[in-house]
Amino acid sequence: MTRALRRALAGTLGEGDAALLCSSFDQVGEIAIIRIPDPLLPRRREIGEAVLAQASGATRVFCQASDVSGEHRTRSLELIAGEGGTVTVHREHGCAMLVDVEGAFFSPRLATERARIASLASDGETVLNMFGGVGAFSLVIARATRCDVHTIDINPLAARLCAENAARMRLAGTVTTECGDAAELVPRWAASRRADRTLMLLPERSAEFLGIAVSATRPGGTIHYYSHVHADSKALAAPNAARELLDIAPRGTGVSLSRIVRPVGPRYYQTAVDAVLPA
């Protein structure tokens, strides 16, 4: 896709400018999202039209004007080609999910990780998704298994979209949604039950919430712990993540898997550690 984009712009951008283009862009439903370096921002309309021509099924292109930030995990986007708003339907693993690419967190780059977690879940499990966004992980799990998935997000729009997605889809399991701070809602939820499997999809701050996750997960249950890890080489990222988790986890916690989910910056990686609590 990147090579095709550069070819499409060959008559518009010089070789030096083309080399500045990002290596890839995301497509969510009918929306393509691209990062454009500052020197190329004056050409963003032309770049947007080239992306629109290359992205199959896309009807509009947005330029990412800010990083994902804040407790609601939102970002600013600028429409640079096509027409329409920031809401679309994203299809993945048999799920058709309403997504607002500006107002609620969602990443298509986690599709493989969502399938992996769903493959580990078993019928009858209780799953706690502490930072659920629009419910993508929850929906993929409940589509594949007869699990009861409880989803929490502090962003009202994300929680509403999760509830709407669960209501409009045919699921094998169930997805319930709460809006609020996981630090307050998880202990309240755990007062009457425990999760067999807990997801911690807030890699920037997971360490702050690990104690709460442990208290809400049954002995012998699994916590899927996501973090951002610095490593001098890619080969060290997953082992570093496992060590960091075990340094703060209860004694006797085991690690069944530690893996890189995706690079997030120079020598920084998003990692997933599957931690098994002591029985």
Side-chain angles (χ1 to χ4, degrees):
M1 186 76 73
T2 303
R3 290 192 298 273
L5 173 59
R6 289 175 177 163
R7 283 200 303 270
L9 290 168
T12 304
L13 298 180
E15 185 176 336
D17 285 344
L20 295 175
L21 285 172
C22 58
S23 60
S24 63
F25 60 85
D26 290 338
Q27 185 167 349
V28 181
E30 297 180 334
I31 295 173
I33 304 167
I34 187 170
R35 289 177 178 268
I36 299 178
D38 289 345
L40 294 183
L41 283 176
R43 317 292 293 275
R44 59 189 180 276
R45 306 292 177 186
E46 298 160 83
I47 294 171
E49 292 295 338
V51 172
L52 194 60
Q54 297 296 331
S56 176
T59 61
R60 49 207 186 272
V61 180
F62 288 88
C63 169
Q64 183 158 319
S66 73
D67 290 332
V68 174
S69 63
E71 64 177 11
H72 287 183
R73 296 189 285 172
T74 59
R75 58 184 169 179
S76 296
L77 300 175
E78 178 189 357
L79 182 67
I80 59 172
E83 296 181 351
T86 58
V87 177
T88 187
V89 176
H90 176 78
R91 290 176 170 81
E92 176 187 306
H93 305 310
C95 298
M97 297 173 271
L98 279 171
V99 175
D100 187 324
V101 295
E102 184 174 52
F105 179 78
F106 175 80
S107 174
R109 300 187 184 198
L110 297 177
T112 298
E113 184 65 11
R114 286 188 276 270
R116 185 183 77 87
I117 298 299
S119 73
L120 297 175
S122 301
D123 289 348
E125 283 189 356
T126 296
V127 180
L128 174 62
N129 189 353
M130 291 175 57
F131 313 103
V134 301
F137 273 81
S138 301
L139 295 164
V140 173
I141 292 169
R143 167 88 177 173
T145 65
R146 293 182 176 85
C147 289
D148 294 323
V149 188
H150 189 70
T151 310
I152 294 170
D153 202 276
I154 200 169
N155 182 340
L157 175 58
R160 178 173 64 78
L161 288 172
C162 179
E164 289 183 12
N165 285 327
R168 65 198 292 270
M169 287 177 54
R170 180 175 293 179
L171 302 173
T174 62
V175 174
T176 56
T177 309
E178 273 192 288
C179 180
D181 188 343
E184 299 175 2
L185 296 184
V186 170
R188 190 182 308 165
W189 179 87
S192 59
R193 75 213 87 178
R194 289 288 187 276
D196 300 291
R197 190 176 303 277
T198 298
L199 281 68
M200 302 187 68
L201 291 148
L202 189 64
E204 305 89 347
R205 299 178 57 197
S206 287
E208 299 174 34
F209 292 88
L210 181 60
I212 296 171
V214 170
S215 69
T217 308
R218 67 166 176 80
T222 298
I223 294 177
H224 299 287
Y225 180 90
Y226 295 84
S227 61
H228 286 164
V229 173
H230 176 270
D232 290 333
S233 71
K234 186 175 181 180
L236 295 175
N240 285 357
R243 281 194 296 271
E244 290 185 13
L245 181 279
L246 292 176
D247 282 345
I248 58 176
R251 180 176 296 179
T253 298
V255 170
S256 59
L257 180 71
S258 182
R259 67 184 294 268
I260 294 173
V261 177
R262 55 177 177 158
V264 292
R267 297 185 180 180
Y268 271 91
Y269 303 88
Q270 182 174 336
T271 56
V273 179
D274 297 350
V276 181
L277 296 182

